[in-house]
Amino acid sequence: MANNAVAATGYEESLKKASRMALVRTLLPVMGLIVIFILFNALTGGRMITNLPLTMSSMYSLMIACTGVFFIMTMGGLDFSQGSILGMAGIVICSVSQHAPMGIAILAGIATGAAIGAVNGYFYVFRKIKSFIVTICTMFLFRGFIKYLTSDSPVTGSASLALSYDTIPIKLGIMIVVVAIAYFFFRFTKFGTYLKAIGAGEKAAKFAGIRTDKMKFLIYVLAGAITGLAAFVSVAHTGSVTSSGGNQLETQILIALVLGGMPISGGAKVRFLNVVVGAALYTILQSGLQMLGITTQTMQMIQGVIFLVFVFIFADRQSLQVIK
């Protein structure tokens, strides 16, 4: 009896500890966002608030692209090709917009992103190559295409691209619609449950009747399509695509999601709040450091330290495994 009582007490303590850790995982990114915003606003003499519309303008495409990668990471994968997808889709949007209505150009950009996502999904799912290896290869492949297509001069869009579509209502509206739709399907349908199940244990998900291969392939296609839409928001702001178009986007997405509390291994502990908080936190951190006149090298060091701290906190060591 005494042993049973001790075991029960130990079990209750472990449950309480797990509950406290879950609360920390949820609240820390939100508290970090609030603290960093207040800190940078004080250090910059209130410029963080006055320049908030400008700060937000760099968050729209990041948050949209984060949404697709969030789905990939939920099922335990990675995607390092997002920057190249955005650059290629941006080139297609700019080129098509010169000869066709903007709606056609946007659809062409989305289709370009979906096609590259399908390439990633094919080699990852059907050729059984690890996701990070496949996406690193496609990152370099399409980065080469981007540099080739922009070697002589930037690829510019139609005159109406920046004049008519670089507005806060349009870009904010697109971001809200994408995030709202993604949240609905992730939170209130089997879609989110299936993704978490694959991330927690793919073999168990298969035995539960989930068509994991089909699901993984479609998620990579979906993520590419979402980034294709993010490319429109990006080129609407710049009006063109240069050889550096989309450069380092994949790193920004990964840092943003981890800052938002995203577990690297995906699974059941994933929350959609990771997307919103992470993208906002990364954007404010980046903008605040720039306002303070911090050099690029120092900014990278600061971001690296913060990234390591959040990985240390949010890595699920009990289920952590080699990335799929």
Side-chain angles (χ1 to χ4, degrees):
M1 293 293 292
N3 290 335
N4 290 337
V6 171
T9 302
Y11 180 69
E12 290 177 0
E13 287 296 325
S14 64
L15 286 178
K16 290 180 181 179
K17 183 178 179 180
S19 178
R20 287 194 296 266
M21 285 301 299
L23 184 62
V24 170
R25 289 173 183 271
T26 302
L27 294 181
L28 183 61
V30 178
M31 294 302 297
L33 175 62
I34 296 172
V35 170
I36 287 179
F37 182 81
I38 294 174
L39 175 64
F40 279 124
N41 189 60
L43 292 175
T44 58
R47 282 189 294 157
M48 182 63 72
I49 291 179
T50 57
N51 292 338
L52 192 58
L54 181 61
T55 301
M56 288 287 292
S57 66
S58 62
M59 187 179 73
Y60 301 132
S61 59
L62 175 63
M63 187 173 291
I64 293 171
C66 277
T67 304
V69 179
F70 168 78
F71 293 147
I72 292 174
M73 289 183 65
T74 299
M75 62 182 189
L78 286 176
D79 190 346
F80 291 106
S81 66
Q82 290 294 308
S84 296
I85 292 176
L86 186 134
M88 286 297 300
I91 289 175
V92 171
I93 291 171
C94 288
S95 300
V96 175
S97 68
Q98 297 176 1
H99 310 286
M102 193 58 63
I104 301 298
I106 296 172
L107 290 176
I110 293 174
T112 301
I116 299 175
V119 172
N120 289 333
Y122 170 77
F123 284 101
Y124 167 49
V125 176
F126 301 111
R127 307 313 300 174
K128 305 302 179 184
I129 303 174
K130 299 295 184 182
S131 62
F132 69 93
I133 295 176
V134 171
T135 55
I136 285 176
C137 291
T138 52
M139 174 188 72
F140 284 112
L141 173 63
F142 290 103
R143 178 58 53 191
F145 281 131
I146 293 169
K147 291 185 180 297
Y148 174 77
L149 294 171
T150 58
S151 58
D152 295 331
S153 62
V155 178
T156 58
S158 64
S160 64
L161 181 59
L163 293 175
S164 302
Y165 296 94
D166 186 25
T167 64
I168 291 178
I170 290 177
K171 294 187 293 186
L172 180 61
I174 292 173
M175 184 189 75
I176 291 175
V177 168
V178 170
V179 171
I181 293 174
Y183 173 75
F184 173 80
F185 279 97
F186 185 80
R187 181 67 177 81
F188 298 106
T189 70
K190 292 181 179 179
F191 174 76
T193 304
Y194 288 171
L195 289 182
K196 290 180 181 180
I198 294 172
E202 187 172 341
K203 288 184 178 180
K206 283 184 178 180
F207 284 120
I210 300 173
R211 300 175 65 180
T212 56
D213 284 350
K214 180 181 178 180
M215 191 77 177
K216 291 190 294 182
F217 177 78
L218 291 177
I219 290 302
Y220 271 91
V221 175
L222 176 62
I226 292 174
T227 302
L229 181 58
F232 167 71
V233 175
S234 178
V235 297
H237 179 65
T238 59
S240 63
V241 178
T242 65
S243 60
S244 62
N247 197 28
Q248 298 298 318
L249 176 65
E250 53 280 327
T251 305
Q252 295 171 11
I253 292 172
L254 182 60
I255 293 176
L257 288 175
V258 172
L259 290 180
M262 182 81 185
I264 293 294
S265 56
K269 295 182 180 179
V270 171
R271 301 291 181 270
F272 194 83
L273 189 65
N274 304 147
V275 177
V276 179
V277 174
L281 184 53
Y282 178 85
T283 302
I284 290 174
L285 177 63
Q286 185 87 350
S287 299
L289 292 173
Q290 289 175 348
M291 289 180 188
L292 292 175
I294 304 297
T295 63
T296 303
Q297 295 85 346
T298 306
M299 286 174 58
Q300 290 176 342
M301 287 191 293
I302 293 173
Q303 290 172 1
V305 171
I306 295 175
F307 180 72
L308 285 174
V309 170
F310 272 71
V311 168
F312 175 78
I313 293 172
F314 294 110
D316 186 1
R317 292 161 184 80
Q318 293 181 347
S319 61
L320 190 62
Q321 55 186 315
V322 177
I323 298 298
K324 300 173 184 174

